[in-house]
Amino acid sequence: EPYAASAQAPHSEMVVLGGRNVAARASRTAMALALGVALVRWPGQALRGAGAFLRLPRGMAGAQRGVAMGPGPRLELPSRPTAVLRRDGASAGSRAAGLSSLAQAPAGEWAFRASVLGNDGAMSGHIFLDERGRAAYVADGAQIVGRGVGHWVQSGAVAAMELEVFQYGAAAVNVPEKAHRFRGVWEANGNGPLRGDWYFCPEGEAPRIVGSFDAGATTLELLPLVIASQPSVAWGPQARLSPALRDVGMAALDAVPGLREGGHGPSSEERLAPYLVGDAPTIYYIPDWIEPQQEADFLNIADADMRQWEDMKTRSSQEWGAGDRCACGRGLRRETLPPKQKAIAEALHHLGVFDGALYPMNSVRINGYRPGQGIFPHCDGPVYYPKVAILSLCTPCIFNFYPKSGNEDTMKWDHGNDVPGGHRVGDTPLCSVLLEPRSLLVFSHDAFWHHRHGIEAVASDKIPPTVCNLDRVKGDYKVGDDLPRGRRVSLTMRHLLPRCACQG
């Protein structure tokens, strides 16, 4: 049966953090379901990027708080859910649409908790349902960090929602590579809490029931529901709704225009496939990604205030998007990117390198190198989503990737070389990339986690036989050519992973 209950993991990509055997019914502590990345699009249009998440004042008259519309679809979430959140009443717009009361329309904010394969609290936080059919999820930030975006619908006495969710344990070292899709179906029961079934939606397969969910108007209303829920994995998740009601909710979601059209769409790897280079996996080189005038603009930004440059032993550096440690001690404070850097973020989201809703590019490190300077081989570590995009400016250089060594210790900072720990001197590069001015280098996952990267501290590069992109570069280069170094500036762009909910 398409929605049959199963005590087995419904998909090989679903991972429960903590390493506990869910089939053996380990303790019902809040364990985070490891989720990854995909972009949900509103019907016919793309979701806005990093600027979409804005603070909204409480008590917005005549509208559900939590969502506001600008020119084009824009999902805007409160920067930090409070401990107790209440739903607002239905607006005149919803009543005019035939949803005569809040008893029929669940639009608003709900304290939310879902179980997955016997793990109560695998998803925990708040969901936001707006009157235009859009849905959002924000994890509580205590043990789980992340968010989700999607849609909700109502058909008669049945309501359903679909969310693309990217989340991870707040203290997790390894984070998921992409998002997972979930559906919730429940019976509209008036002004009371929402209680329904929770489904995982593997790509190309029918949804599979993995547990149940509860949502209350406040966290105090949610608490007794959680206590009363005793998920059982001995016989698989037990459905709360009848098959007939379930089918009504699923059919209503399937009928939303554009919701499932084309599935997730092309993955980041599929979009970047024409630019794949090298012997290490997931390395991509895009020549002439920006125009010469844009290059000049970025150099002007970097040098606008010379006091922003921090002189390090091997290079000079600026950091944008990440501030000092948060007061809670668990993560770094996020800061607003300058407008020009936001424009780069939008371009990277459009390319599919980062996801503007679930894991946007939010951190830019500008590095400046003089002839004779470089950066020691290193891996970037678990403070970032495992993907990086590097924009090169000014003069070319050789960028090296090294074989796996198994000694990466990126949680420690090497003060002597100004890089994360784990570098090893003397290794021969596995492959090298010739970085031309205005080119974009992207690498992720295995290349990010295990293959150290670096630039030799020399005044002139000699193109080695390990260079893997000579057929992609714009210039006329060959092995053995000398590349004299001038000043080089690079923008290293990443997604700094939130580790708390202090900033939403």
Side-chain angles (χ1 to χ4, degrees):
E1 177 176 346
Y3 311 110
S6 171
Q8 304 301 317
H11 197 265
S12 60
E13 295 172 347
M14 290 186 66
V15 180
V16 176
L17 297 178
R20 304 188 184 185
N21 185 345
V22 293
R25 183 111 190 266
S27 64
R28 295 173 62 243
T29 56
M31 295 197 296
L33 188 66
L35 307 166
V37 54
L39 181 61
V40 167
R41 300 183 186 277
W42 308 133
Q45 300 193 49
L47 182 65
R48 286 292 186 90
F53 297 93
L54 304 175
R55 181 189 301 272
L56 293 181
R58 291 184 174 273
M60 290 176 61
Q64 293 292 338
R65 181 169 58 84
V67 178
M69 295 297 294
R74 176 178 296 196
L75 180 64
E76 302 183 348
L77 303 182
S79 63
R80 181 185 181 188
T82 55
V84 177
L85 290 175
R86 295 188 176 276
R87 294 178 295 133
D88 296 327
S91 73
S94 68
R95 286 190 289 272
L99 303 177
S100 60
S101 70
L102 191 59
Q104 294 173 297
E109 302 176 3
W110 298 83
F112 172 81
R113 195 173 179 91
S115 63
V116 176
L117 297 177
N119 293 288
D120 183 30
M123 295 179 64
S124 177
H126 288 82
I127 55 173
F128 305 80
L129 309 176
D130 90 334
E131 294 175 330
R132 305 189 184 206
R134 297 172 301 177
Y137 158 72
V138 178
D140 59 22
Q143 293 179 309
I144 304 168
V145 182
R147 57 171 68 104
V149 292
H151 268 73
W152 73 277
V153 296
Q154 185 167 347
S155 178
V158 180
M161 62 180 162
E162 180 173 297
L163 292 169
E164 299 276 356
V165 179
F166 176 72
Q167 70 171 31
Y168 47 93
V173 174
N174 295 320
V175 299
E177 299 180 11
K178 66 178 185 178
H180 287 78
R181 176 183 289 155
F182 290 92
R183 283 186 168 188
V185 183
W186 69 96
E187 187 174 3
N189 60 351
N191 203 25
L194 312 182
R195 309 197 71 193
D197 298 322
W198 199 239
Y199 292 82
F200 173 62
C201 306
E203 181 66 20
E205 300 180 29
R208 304 177 186 180
I209 188 168
V210 291
S212 59
F213 77 89
D214 298 289
T218 68
T219 52
L220 296 180
E221 182 178 279
L222 177 63
L223 182 60
L225 303 177
V226 173
I227 295 174
S229 299
Q230 296 291 331
S232 172
V233 296
W235 303 101
Q238 303 299 304
R240 291 174 172 177
L241 271 67
S242 69
L245 293 178
R246 172 205 65 201
D247 291 346
V248 169
M250 293 291 182
L253 282 173
D254 290 336
V256 175
L259 181 60
R260 300 294 293 244
E261 195 172 291
H264 288 291
S267 67
S268 174
E269 287 70 24
E270 290 171 330
R271 295 185 187 186
L272 293 171
Y275 309 104
L276 183 66
V277 297
D279 296 325
T282 59
I283 300 175
Y284 308 90
Y285 176 79
I286 304 175
D288 283 342
W289 193 63
I290 62 171
E291 300 293 331
Q293 182 56 51
Q294 293 172 308
E295 178 183 34
D297 290 343
F298 287 123
L299 289 173
N300 288 335
I301 292 173
D303 294 336
D305 183 355
M306 299 303 293
R307 294 171 299 178
Q308 295 287 346
W309 287 103
E310 176 189 359
D311 289 327
M312 307 174 78
K313 295 179 180 178
T314 60
R315 63 198 185 279
S316 299
S317 185
Q318 298 181 32
E319 185 75 41
W320 297 89
D324 297 331
R325 183 172 295 276
C326 181
C328 72
R330 289 169 52 183
L332 300 178
R333 291 188 294 105
R334 297 190 300 280
E335 298 178 345
T336 302
L337 293 175
K340 286 284 187 180
Q341 295 180 14
K342 287 183 179 179
I344 293 186
E346 293 294 341
L348 291 171
H349 301 159
H350 180 73
L351 184 61
V353 176
F354 298 98
D355 186 301
L358 298 176
Y359 62 109
M361 189 278 277
N362 60 10
S363 172
V364 179
R365 177 175 283 272
I366 304 178
N367 286 318
Y369 301 91
R370 298 187 300 273
Q373 290 188 321
I375 187 167
F376 274 78
H378 66 283
C379 291
D380 287 347
V383 297
Y384 300 103
Y385 179 78
K387 184 173 287 187
V388 58
I390 299 175
L391 178 61
S392 293
L393 310 176
C394 300
T395 59
C397 78
I398 300 298
F399 191 96
N400 297 312
F401 289 92
Y402 292 83
K404 294 182 181 180
S405 63
N407 70 333
E408 291 83 11
D409 190 6
T410 56
M411 297 299 288
K412 296 180 180 178
W413 185 258
D414 182 345
H415 293 280
N417 295 301
D418 286 328
V419 293
H423 71 275
R424 192 166 69 184
V425 178
D427 284 354
T428 300
L430 174 68
C431 64
S432 305
V433 182
L434 197 169
L435 301 183
E436 296 176 288
R438 300 180 298 282
S439 67
L440 185 72
L441 175 69
V442 178
F443 57 94
S444 63
H445 303 129
D446 190 72
F448 183 95
W449 280 316
H450 304 299
H451 291 277
R452 291 160 295 136
H453 58 272
I455 298 172
E456 291 188 16
V458 295
S460 179
D461 285 298
K462 185 178 290 291
I463 298 180
T466 53
V467 165
C468 60
N469 67 324
L470 288 181
D471 60 334
R472 307 291 178 88
V473 296
K474 293 296 183 179
D476 183 16
Y477 301 102
K478 62 182 183 297
V479 173
D481 284 352
D482 288 320
L483 298 176
R485 295 256 190 100
R487 184 196 185 198
R488 177 177 175 270
V489 174
S490 67
L491 279 69
T492 300
M493 298 168 286
R494 294 168 287 204
H495 172 71
L496 179 67
L497 292 167
R499 294 294 181 178
C500 62
C502 297
Q503 294 176 278

